[in-house]
Amino acid sequence: MKKLTQLMKNQRGLTLIELLAVVVILGIIAAIAVPSIGGIIDNTKKDAHIANAEQMVSSARLAQASGVNEEDNEGSTTYTLEDLVSGNYLESPENPGASDEYGDDTQVVIERGADGDTTYTVTLTSENGNHITTEDNTATIEELRNNGRQYISVDGE
């Protein structure tokens, strides 16, 4: 019995230094994790914009196969987001990470080259600005597929 009471008296808790060390370690982990998570969220939003552009191109191809819009004199056909949604080729896509919707200037331009190649150029706009950050605020679908994150702005600035 004496041994049991002696063992009970010898039990110690954590010292203040040990508690401080644990708090510092947790702070370091949080300082590393928070910016990483923010970057992952931004990349996810950029990927969602690229996926919306892909869906618009697929819908524009379907609308073109249905003969909805005629080619202009330069051999290109333009489909606005409104054309694709009202023709039931596409459901209205959500603008990732923003409260506003894609704007009236959101469109897909299909151009046929003399060599028979087809180029799909996408413009994504909203009230906050343009989501494609090239000089002319457009990008081909091939550019978006290959390295689209560098061309996409999440906040539209």
Side-chain angles (χ1 to χ4, degrees):
M1 190 71 159
K2 244 183 192 181
K3 272 190 171 182
L4 185 60
T5 54
Q6 193 174 22
L7 274 175
M8 293 294 274
K9 288 181 182 180
N10 283 340
Q11 283 189 355
R12 294 183 181 167
L14 295 175
T15 65
L16 183 59
I17 304 268
E18 291 170 332
L19 284 174
L20 285 174
V22 169
V23 169
V24 167
I25 290 170
L26 289 175
I28 291 170
I29 291 171
I32 293 170
V34 169
S36 297
I37 291 171
I40 290 170
I41 291 171
D42 276 352
N43 284 340
T44 303
K45 290 176 184 177
K46 289 178 181 183
D47 290 343
H49 280 297
I50 294 168
N52 286 343
E54 290 268 5
Q55 287 290 43
M56 285 183 60
V57 167
S58 297
S59 300
R61 291 174 71 184
L62 182 61
Q64 186 178 36
S66 300
V68 172
N69 287 0
E70 299 292 323
E71 282 188 6
D72 61 14
N73 294 336
E74 299 170 6
S76 66
T77 309
T78 301
Y79 294 94
T80 64
L81 179 60
E82 185 179 332
D83 292 339
L84 298 173
V85 171
S86 65
N88 291 323
Y89 295 104
L90 179 69
E91 289 184 16
S92 185
E94 290 185 21
N95 187 350
S99 59
D100 60 340
E101 296 180 359
Y102 287 121
D104 296 336
D105 294 337
T106 299
Q107 64 185 10
V108 176
V109 177
I110 303 173
E111 298 176 275
R112 294 202 189 280
D115 55 359
D117 286 344
T118 304
T119 304
Y120 302 94
T121 306
V122 181
T123 306
L124 296 174
T125 62
S126 68
E127 289 179 5
N128 293 336
N130 204 303
H131 293 286
I132 298 178
T133 58
T134 57
E135 282 184 25
D136 60 354
N137 294 328
T138 65
T140 63
I141 200 63
E142 286 79 21
E143 291 171 330
L144 291 176
R145 285 179 185 148
N146 295 333
N147 45 3
R149 286 185 184 166
Q150 74 181 24
Y151 297 120
I152 298 292
S153 166
V154 174
D155 54 11
E157 295 176 359

